[in-house]
Amino acid sequence: MESADATEVCHLADPAATDALGGRLASQLLAAGDGDGALLLLRGELGAGKTSLVQGLAAALGIAEPVTSPTFALAQHYDTDTGSDAGTTALVHLDLYRLEPGAAADELFAQEEEDARGLGAVLAVEWPERLSFRPEGAWEVALSHAEDGEGRLARITPPGFTPPPAVPPAPR
């Protein structure tokens, strides 16, 4: 793991490591959210591990149901299954890939962000580059295939720091 400013880069050897990173991020997001929810932007080409990371995040939030990419549904709400918060929405998973950049993506994001904040849930957004702006207060994880072909790299940027320029996503 290396660090430049507040950006952390780590190697993810396999899907289990990606899930574990999602679990670690869950505790950081909850701590930073102050009960008002938290925002996580997920960047990366097709197959980079965005949904796998959300699956690890969901498990750490106490969500037992299967988490899949909401590419066609656009948004999925997941309730926690454990503890005193059982039945409360803990995660909103949003996928903006199918939306044209700009107004449509911005409108759906605004709606889901308002819902997530009102519920105190984590909002995980895949393909945030479809938005016409970068949301304030967002954590960002950029996932990419490792250059040596072994696993993935994750670049984690906490709120308040500008992430390095993203590589344009590959067509789906």
Side-chain angles (χ1 to χ4, degrees):
M1 181 176 350
E2 63 184 71
S3 184
D5 297 331
T7 299
E8 173 188 343
V9 178
C10 55
H11 181 263
L12 306 170
D14 54 29
T18 305
D19 285 351
L21 175 60
R24 180 171 63 97
L25 284 171
S27 61
Q28 291 176 298
L29 290 166
L30 292 175
D34 295 327
D36 191 26
L39 177 57
L40 176 63
L41 306 177
L42 299 165
R43 298 182 186 272
E45 62 191 36
L46 181 63
K50 296 179 298 293
T51 300
S52 182
L53 188 137
V54 174
Q55 290 167 340
L57 177 71
L61 294 172
I63 297 165
E65 70 180 285
V67 172
T68 59
S69 179
T71 298
F72 294 101
L74 300 179
Q76 294 286 353
H77 291 230
Y78 295 98
D79 296 342
T80 187
D81 295 323
T82 60
S84 62
D85 291 332
T88 302
T89 300
L91 174 66
V92 176
H93 188 190
L94 181 62
D95 187 328
L96 300 175
Y97 183 77
R98 293 186 57 222
L99 298 177
E100 290 295 320
D106 292 354
E107 184 178 322
L108 180 60
F109 172 81
Q111 176 186 340
E112 295 299 336
E113 181 185 35
E114 182 179 346
D115 287 351
R117 289 202 184 278
L119 296 165
V122 172
L123 173 59
V125 181
E126 294 189 33
W127 302 97
E129 54 272 25
R130 297 287 198 253
L131 296 170
S132 65
F133 64 97
R134 185 178 189 281
E136 290 185 29
W139 286 76
E140 184 166 310
V141 176
L143 295 161
S144 61
H145 297 277
E147 287 184 20
D148 64 4
E150 298 293 322
R152 309 282 189 272
L153 292 177
R155 181 177 302 274
I156 306 159
T157 306
F161 292 88
T162 303
V167 175
R172 243 185 184 179

